Amino acid sequence: MTFKKRALEASPTGIWFRWNKKNGYSIAALLPLVEGAGLADRPREGIMLYSFASPQAEEVYREVDSSRGSVEAVFVAGGPHPSARPEEALRRFDFVVIGEGEETLPELISVIKGGDDPAGVKGIGYRQDGIARLTLPREDVDLDLYPPFQPPIFSPIEITRGCPWGCAYCQTPRLFGRRIRHRSISKILEYARFYSDLRFTSPNALAYGSDGLHPRIDKVEQLLSSLSELDKPIYFGTFPSEVRPDFVTEEAIDLIVRHCRNRHLSIGGQSGSDRILKMIGRGHDVEAIRRACDLSLDGGLVPNLDLIVGLPGETAEDQRMTLDLAREVVGGGGRIRAHHFIPLPGTPLEDEEPADLAAEVAKEMGELALRGKATGRWGSSDQM
Ligand code: SF4
């Protein structure tokens, strides 16, 4: 019997994380902080902890609604969607953890178990006399004080959290704040020993050790050389992480090629239109994307360029420019990962309508996909 199966049947404390395939990384980070917690594949008696993003929200709400009255539980929500819409989540849940859970969740659980007043717990929402109340925000956590996971539940090692950029479509700075924080090399090494190959999460892997605005390639070098001593394959700047184009330099590519196993690099480009890049606050232009892809190819890494289509206010001309950039990158030997814009709660674009995708752009993206040069979800004939 696997650990997950055993864990699905055991919690001596009656505290359960609602496990699903989409929230594994959050649960891996929070499980070690809640002593005696188990994993549940349905609502169980006790304290039920949920972590979810917007695409799962309706399904989660249905589950909680339908178990009210039949399961004796206190329901607690956390993760990107409840953090952005605490009042909405409180219509179904008893408590919401807003933002980072490492300090807030254990404190909240102790208050729930003790039947104490939750008003003093920073970073939560709760209901009192039918009214949703939000407490003061919690300070950013120090990543070194908390494990990224604890075996046997694993996740890639989170090396960096928070982002000083404020891209208008992105939840990261709204969920984790704009102050970038890094896990120290010694802590990263401590958790690297659990893996046979090494993968990381970060909003921008090449920002490791920096203020997030100005690269500190010396810090990236220290990290990669220390990891290299473990003699395990390293995958850096690739799924589940990526890099900003303005952080891609010859030196950075050289470091990755020298120390890492990956021979591709995930670059966040987002649009081929300078007007759109400015509108969404990316802080770089199309030329920076071109330069990053060229440097990557010249250095021996295939660029996997992330693009978003259907951003609000995007015209057919903007989309054509994005398509031109995609063609250019593919022509040089790169690949495209395209997404249709989704308005995410808590972001400045949350109430904006996605722009329709021009037929010509959809057709050409489909052709790139058929040639194995593009993946993603940009329309009805999208590829994964
Ligand atoms: S898209 Fe990337 S750079 Fe922009 S705010 Fe989000 S994490 Fe930061």
Side-chain angles (χ1 to χ4, degrees):
M1 193 185 260
T2 64
F3 169 78
K4 270 181 217 155
K5 276 202 172 145
R6 269 187 285 126
L8 286 168
E9 291 164 12
S11 165
T13 54
I15 303 174
W16 304 94
F17 281 96
R18 174 64 167 95
W19 175 271
N20 66 49
K21 284 183 192 146
K22 307 272 182 183
N23 66 5
Y25 293 177
S26 330
I27 289 184
L30 293 173
L31 193 62
L33 307 175
V34 183
E35 208 180 316
L39 303 180
D41 58 0
R42 62 185 186 285
R44 308 283 292 254
E45 255 176 49
I47 301 178
M48 278 300 304
L49 308 172
Y50 286 69
S51 175
F52 55 97
S54 301
Q56 292 93 50
E58 281 312 313
E59 194 183 334
V60 167
Y61 289 156
R62 270 198 303 277
E63 178 174 296
V64 173
D65 283 349
S66 67
S67 56
R68 289 283 189 194
S70 58
V71 179
E72 196 65 32
V74 175
F75 289 90
V76 180
H81 189 85
S83 292
R85 299 227 170 118
E87 286 91 352
E88 175 195 291
L90 284 171
R91 292 204 282 274
R92 271 57 179 245
F93 282 82
D94 301 299
F95 296 94
V96 173
V97 171
I98 302 167
E100 299 173 323
E102 279 90 346
E103 287 170 4
T104 309
L105 186 59
E107 209 177 304
L108 174 61
I109 288 174
S110 139
V111 162
I112 295 172
K113 282 176 26 184
D116 301 327
D117 183 0
V121 180
K122 283 184 176 175
I124 64 159
Y126 64 101
R127 272 193 321 244
Q128 193 177 51
D129 305 325
I131 296 169
R133 299 193 186 277
L134 307 185
T135 63
L136 291 172
R138 170 130 349 222
E139 299 75 25
D140 298 336
V141 304
D142 174 350
L143 291 187
D144 268 4
L145 298 180
Y146 302 97
F149 59 82
Q150 188 171 287
I153 299 286
F154 293 94
S155 67
I157 304 171
E158 184 186 28
I159 56 171
T160 296
R161 191 185 283 182
C163 181
W165 301 93
C167 305
Y169 55 86
C170 175
Q171 282 182 316
T172 297
R174 284 95 204 173
L175 184 62
F176 295 129
R178 291 178 85 146
R179 194 172 69 81
I180 193 165
R181 290 151 284 151
H182 309 284
R183 190 164 262 121
S184 67
I185 292 177
S186 59
K187 284 287 173 192
I188 294 170
L189 292 174
E190 199 178 311
Y191 287 92
R193 74 196 154 93
F194 292 110
Y195 281 110
S196 52
D197 57 10
L198 304 173
R199 293 173 199 269
F200 309 96
T201 53
S202 164
N204 173 12
L206 288 174
Y208 182 75
S210 78
D211 61 2
L213 300 169
H214 310 93
R216 284 290 308 267
I217 201 67
D218 56 320
K219 300 279 186 188
V220 177
E221 177 159 28
Q222 280 169 23
L223 172 65
L224 292 181
S225 357
S226 308
L227 288 166
S228 289
E229 284 172 22
L230 300 176
D231 206 17
K232 297 178 178 189
I234 303 169
Y235 295 85
F236 194 79
T238 184
F239 183 81
S241 156
E242 64 172 28
V243 301
R244 278 181 61 90
D246 46 347
F247 278 61
V248 176
T249 59
E250 215 170 306
E251 206 182 347
I253 300 288
D254 179 57
L255 273 180
I256 295 174
V257 169
R258 204 148 26 97
H259 292 289
C260 306
R261 179 69 60 90
N262 50 296
R263 286 296 167 263
H264 58 277
L265 185 65
S266 298
I267 301 173
Q270 319 311 1
S271 178
S273 157
D274 279 330
R275 189 185 77 84
I276 292 292
L277 288 175
K278 195 163 176 206
M279 191 198 82
I280 58 179
R282 280 290 293 173
H284 63 75
D285 58 11
V286 179
E287 200 40 46
I289 305 173
R290 282 202 184 91
R291 200 166 43 241
C293 291
D294 288 347
L295 284 170
S296 181
L297 280 164
D298 291 348
L301 297 179
V302 173
N304 276 350
L305 183 64
D306 261 327
L307 293 172
I308 303 175
V309 287
L311 283 155
E314 201 176 63
T315 63
E317 177 62 8
D318 294 315
Q319 292 180 0
R320 193 193 54 72
M321 288 192 267
T322 297
L323 181 62
D324 286 348
L325 177 66
R327 281 202 207 103
E328 200 180 312
V329 171
V330 166
R335 291 167 51 88
I336 301 300
R337 182 157 175 83
H339 316 261
H340 204 279
F341 164 74
I342 300 172
L344 292 173
T347 69
L349 297 182
E350 69 176 319
D351 296 322
E352 301 293 329
E353 280 295 313
D356 288 336
L357 191 58
E360 172 215 349
V361 176
K363 181 169 168 271
E364 294 226 19
M365 289 301 297
E367 281 168 16
L368 289 180
L370 286 174
R371 287 166 46 208
K373 300 296 182 190
T375 55
R377 287 182 183 276
W378 58 85
S380 53
S381 61
D382 44 18
Q383 309 284 308
M384 285 306 290

